[in-house]
Amino acid sequence: MKSMKKMMVAVAALAFSATTALAANIAVVGGSNDDAFWNLIKKGIDDARLSVEANGGTVNYLRLVNYDNFAPDVVQLIRTAISQKVDGLVIPNWVPEAEDPAIKDAMAAGIKVILMNAGGAEKAKELGAINYVGSDEYVAGKAGGDYFASKGKKNVICVNTIPGAANLEARCKGVADGIGEKGGKSTQLPLPSSSFGNATAVAEAIKAELIKDESIDGVITISAGDADSAAIGIQQAGKGEGTMLGSFDLNKAGLDRIKGGSQGFAIDQQPYLQAYLAVSLLAAHIDFGTNLPTFPVLTGPGIVDSSNIDATLNGVAKGAR
């Protein structure tokens, strides 16, 4: 009996040491604390964190303070992760020309990387990342352009408050191509990145554009927060009846507008799933050597409109949409 107990203790000790040795320490780089989208990402990270910590690992969420010094600040967060000697890095590839050298340095230091939210499958292959988890932003934009065209809209502006970010440029290009194929047009309205989250600045810019060009009958914003501002600008311009509002991503206010009929649609990329899957897949790869045969792992796009708004609102009530 004593020998059996000793054997059980030895097996437990080996299991513990193996778990400790394989424990994944992961850093996740994300957007500003003021950006509600990245709080949904946090929900996915926190849920994935439970399994990572159960295996003895850690997850550190590194967030931008704001978007005023966007590219250099993102690179600094990557450098921070490298200095922390993490095992894995989940990173959006927002600004490739700035980020790519830092991501390559992370890989050279032995850090495993998954691209999440921005970058896409081709960039993941180019860099040698394990996978890409997120939406195809160009495809998402085309879906939005198609939706506008299906509702008879002919002239749409795509409001971009972080111009230069590759994923957001792809969104606006997709909108233009999608509606263009159906005989309409879309142009980008680029605003300074300091206007992101500045409801007054965004609303005034959209109001001015709508008053200047009477033919505009659609507005789409690159974030749900900017859609709140756009709704104000549309009303102030006196264009609430004939101008359809759409947005990339979701928030409660936007979904309430869809429910009430004052916003046409939102394009959902399911940020909760992006974070949950990216962290879980990377931890499993580091801990257990697992890989998915699916590449990339796409979480969107999906259109939320009056046809499926109630189911979506149920997800919002649980903090995951």
Side-chain angles (χ1 to χ4, degrees), residues 3 226 318:
S3 62
D226 284 338
K318 297 175 182 177

Side-chain angles (χ1 to χ4, degrees), residues 11-25:
V11 169
L14 284 171
F16 177 78
S17 63
T19 300
T20 303
L22 293 171
N25 296 311

Side-chain angles (χ1 to χ4, degrees), residues 73-90:
D73 286 350
V74 175
V75 171
Q76 183 55 52
L77 290 181
I78 299 171
R79 300 290 180 197
T80 297
I82 295 172
S83 70
Q84 292 174 345
K85 301 186 185 302
V86 297
D87 304 302
L89 175 64
V90 176

Side-chain angles (χ1 to χ4, degrees), residues 164 264 297 303:
V297 178
I303 296 289

Side-chain angles (χ1 to χ4, degrees), residues 78-283:
I78 299 171
R79 300 290 180 197
T80 297
I82 295 172
S83 70
Q84 292 174 345
K85 301 186 185 302
V86 297
D87 304 302
L89 175 64
V90 176
I91 176 77
N93 193 251
W94 286 305
V95 190
E97 61 271 20
E99 292 180 56
D100 285 3
I103 292 173
K104 290 175 181 177
D105 287 346
M107 291 179 172
I111 298 171
K112 305 293 186 182
V113 173
I114 279 185
L115 299 188
M116 176 192 73
N117 176 258
E122 292 307 312
K123 176 57 71 172
K125 289 178 182 177
E126 175 190 326
L127 291 171
I130 293 167
N131 213 320
Y132 168 72
V133 181
S135 182
D136 184 311
E137 302 291 14
Y138 176 76
V139 172
K142 279 203 74 175
D146 288 343
Y147 192 91
F148 276 118
S150 73
K151 301 302 179 182
K153 302 305 175 183
K154 299 293 185 182
N155 185 7
V156 174
I157 56 171
C158 183
V159 183
N160 188 351
T161 49
I162 313 180
N167 58 323
L168 305 182
E169 297 287 346
R171 288 179 171 187
C172 287
K173 185 178 189 310
V175 172
D177 288 352
I179 194 171
E181 290 174 359
K182 304 295 174 58
K185 70 173 184 176
S186 176
T187 55
Q188 185 176 156
L189 177 62
L191 301 179
S193 58
S194 59
S195 66
F196 184 93
N198 186 332
T200 301
V202 175
E204 285 296 326
I206 292 170
K207 173 185 173 182
E209 200 70 15
L210 293 176
I211 292 173
K212 182 175 71 175
D213 186 349
E214 293 284 339
S215 71
I216 295 172
D217 55 8
V219 176
I220 188 166
T221 64
I222 54 89
S223 74
D226 284 338
D228 297 340
S229 307
I232 296 170
I234 291 169
Q235 289 301 321
Q236 290 179 342
K239 297 295 190 71
E241 289 299 320
T243 305
M244 173 176 281
L245 174 60
S247 74
F248 289 90
D249 306 325
L250 319 176
N251 65 7
K252 183 61 164 57
L255 293 174
D256 286 344
R257 286 192 297 271
I258 293 173
K259 178 79 172 174
S262 59
Q263 179 167 330
F265 68 100
I267 302 172
D268 187 17
Q269 60 175 302
Q270 302 189 104
Y272 171 84
L273 275 184
Q274 287 180 17
Y276 183 84
L277 292 173
V279 172
S280 299
L281 291 173
L282 184 55

